[in-house]
Amino acid sequence: MRLVQGNEAVALAAVHAGCNFYSGYPITPATEIMEMMARQMPKTGGVFIQMEDEIGSIAAAIGAAWGGAKAMTATSGPGFSLMQENIGYACMTQTPVVIVDSQRGGPSTGLPTLPAQGEVMQARYGTHGDHEVIVLTASSVVEAYRMTVEAFNLAETYRLPVILLLDAVLSHMRENVEFPDVPVRQRQKPIFDENFLPFGPDAPFVPFGSGHHTVVTGMSHDETGLPKALAGQAVQRILQGVAERMRQDAREITFYREVSLDDADIVLLTFGITARAAREAVGLLRADGLKAGLLDIQTLWPFPDWLVQEKTANARGILVPELNLGQYVMPVRATIAGRCPVEALGRMDGELFTPEALVDAAKKLAASVEIGGVAHD
Amino acid sequence: MTKPGVDLTPYLRQEMMPTVWCPGCGHGIIARSIATALMELGLDMDLVAIVGGIGCSGRAPFYFDANSMHTTHGRALAYATGLKMVNPGLTVIVPMGDGDAAAIGGNHLIHAARRNIDITAIIFNNSIYGMTGGQGAPTSPVDSRSTTSPLGSIEPAFDMVELALAAGATYVARTTTFDFQEMPKLITGAIRHHGFSLVEVLSQCPTYYGRLNKLGEAPDMLLYERDRTKLLEAFGPAPEITREEMVGQMPIGLFRDAERPEYIDQYHGLVARAGGGK
């Protein structure tokens, strides 16, 4: 057991996952990841570089990926906004890269040292054009460690940018942890012949210098990588293929935790730091006689609609508390499609939800759907 | 100049020919010079990466049978930095347009020069944004016409050589598409140089810059390049050149070929000190 900070756990996990390139730019509350990597990378023979801005950071990380590295960058809201165009480049070029966004209050400079969950939609849709990404989140230091390793693994498997959403509290809090031994997906040595299609279905990621003269472009291109005629159809085919693969693997790539869902009338559906208060709230509600449960989703995107359906099948009301004014509640509502009330509970004042606030909101929701046996204040 | 009969096709990606460049465009002359330099240096194309940005020059990576990367606007040097650091065995050449180098990507240019990372930047400077149809650039001369400066540009042009020198580039040269014999030599020297090298090539855009500024057809523009430039040696000792003297006679040639610790060497020294050497 040792006392570890959230940001420190991310850096240690990255090293465990085989990360050998880090580029970044200082920003609160993500800076400690960069400071840790500045020490860790030289020690492990990896590359660390402090870039001139966040645009350069993500660009260098993608360039390093094509140089053969497992690459990562980390930032917070303002830097994450700057990275969006080049995240799209990674999507278009099917480049494995990990991006950590420790969310702070926004918009703009916002509340640099206080937590938020304002980038749920930006992480999914922030870059222009339609695309696929994977977005993970965590609610504890040990989870931050595990999800960082999984981010690298998923980036390798699907050749996609994988975004890990933390927040200012998780980044800076310290917990006593024993790091789990999370398996690492090793990159296979590329095998290719003259018919090799660098962007074909399930094509291995073949970095520069391997002998294949790959063309990497952000322009629409076909499986050869070249922006030939009908490239629009080709890129739709390629990206839909990625989406389909993730859909087939949904049960493997969707991380979540649940508490007392089997008989739950009211489901608290949370993610990230909010899950901590929700866990306690479920206990308090149960003690008060309300059958409450928790679905804590760690793979935010692709949206696990199947999971939400399964786990809330008998729910009579769903409460979605989040540190924004109502983002993740939108796909939840779309999935539930009126089957039961889906109540948003949002705040963006830099404060976390207390368990009591969640208890109150859950009781109100219960009363509105006429669940009896609940004492109301 | 490449000797008659010398075949550059092994260096070029035939399936991408013909290029998108307009008839008379100077960019093909620059691409040919790069291919000539690659041949002169006898480089294994498996270990050559051409990393471009966006615009007319940004298409250059498609035309080389190498590891080719067509990145986002202005960011090619940042991509190239990551690529080169994890794979120093690659020869990394970055074709850039005026917009890439002098506008949206200026930050990456000065920092790549400051670090002295072993990358070769080649600026295809045609004084205008060609791909988007002839808008003014930070490299457009004062009074020049473009679709966004229809009454003449009131902004002074960036001197990319001065910028690179001030930022710390260790090999800095300027030439023109008229000087097609000199250009491959300067590019060869730049690629061979260990450190950040930059070659600015004044190129012609007859389609937009030439037409909007009544400079005639491509051959007329080549003569215009000849007449507005003067060999650096003709100015006498370099420190005595003032900006005023350069007006109308932009110096061309090799401005700096110096040694300074190269960034990746420095980083490897740091790794060795940290005990991370393999």
Side-chain angles (χ1 to χ4, degrees), chain B:
Chain B
M1 187 190 171
T2 319
K3 293 175 193 73
V6 169
D7 184 12
L8 290 174
T9 52
Y11 296 90
L12 303 175
R13 200 182 287 272
Q14 297 304 321
E15 61 198 310
M16 288 304 287
M17 300 295 161
T19 72
V20 297
W21 296 326
C22 302
C25 172
H27 288 6
I29 302 173
I30 308 174
R32 183 189 173 85
S33 288
I34 296 172
T36 305
L38 294 171
M39 187 193 66
E40 294 282 340
L41 290 164
L43 290 172
D44 174 358
M45 293 299 274
D46 283 358
L47 299 177
V48 172
I50 313 283
V51 183
I54 293 291
C56 299
S57 72
R59 300 303 178 97
F62 290 122
Y63 305 135
F64 290 92
D65 191 3
N67 301 281
S68 302
M69 199 172 209
H70 176 229
T71 71
T72 52
H73 194 25
R75 315 303 168 197
L77 278 172
Y79 280 87
T81 296
L83 175 63
K84 179 73 180 180
M85 284 197 79
V86 298
N87 201 336
L90 294 174
T91 297
V92 180
I93 300 168
V94 178
M96 312 177 79
D98 326 21
D100 280 323
I104 191 168
N107 200 21
H108 308 303
L109 178 72
I110 58 176
H111 288 278
R114 176 178 65 85
R115 294 186 185 106
N116 195 33
I117 188 168
D118 188 18
I119 290 172
T120 298
I122 298 171
I123 304 179
F124 294 43
N125 179 359
N126 55 11
S127 308
I128 204 158
Y129 286 82
M131 188 64 87
T132 45
Q135 296 77 32
T139 46
S140 302
V142 171
D143 293 335
S144 65
R145 300 295 200 267
S146 74
T147 59
T148 52
S149 50
L151 306 177
S153 173
I154 56 170
E155 297 186 16
F158 238 133
D159 184 324
M160 299 311 291
V161 164
E162 276 191 6
L163 182 67
L165 290 170
T170 44
Y171 183 104
V172 181
R174 180 191 285 132
T175 185
T176 79
T177 44
F178 177 82
D179 299 272
F180 64 95
Q181 300 193 31
E182 194 62 19
M183 196 191 327
K185 294 178 198 160
L186 289 169
I187 293 174
T188 301
I191 296 172
R192 191 181 278 136
H193 178 76
H194 190 58
F196 186 73
S197 53
L198 180 143
V199 180
E200 181 193 21
V201 184
L202 304 180
S203 182
Q204 76 277 13
C205 173
T207 303
Y208 294 111
Y209 193 80
R211 211 176 58 205
L212 290 164
N213 290 281
K214 301 187 168 53
L215 291 171
E217 301 291 324
D220 307 309
M221 292 190 74
L222 287 169
L223 296 176
Y224 163 77
E225 299 296 357
R226 177 195 67 185
D227 294 340
R228 74 171 175 137
T229 52
K230 189 170 160 183
L231 279 176
L232 185 59
E233 291 77 8
F235 285 94
E240 292 175 21
I241 306 173
T242 65
R243 280 195 74 104
E244 289 69 32
E245 284 176 317
M246 291 180 188
V247 171
Q249 33 183 357
M250 192 179 261
I252 55 171
L254 181 57
F255 290 75
R256 182 185 285 165
D257 184 0
E259 282 194 31
R260 187 159 68 79
E262 192 272 333
Y263 184 66
I264 297 173
D265 291 343
Q266 293 291 96
Y267 186 78
H268 287 166
L270 189 144
V271 169
R273 289 201 298 282
K278 283 164 191 159

Side-chain angles (χ1 to χ4, degrees), chain A residues 272-307:
Chain A
I273 195 74
T274 306
R276 298 174 77 97
R279 185 174 296 272
E280 193 175 334
V282 166
L284 294 171
L285 288 162
R286 289 259 166 188
D288 279 354
L290 181 73
K291 289 179 185 166
L294 169 65
L295 177 57
D296 171 18
I297 298 182
Q298 295 158 316
T299 301
L300 292 181
W301 306 103
F303 185 71
D305 50 356
W306 59 274
L307 179 77

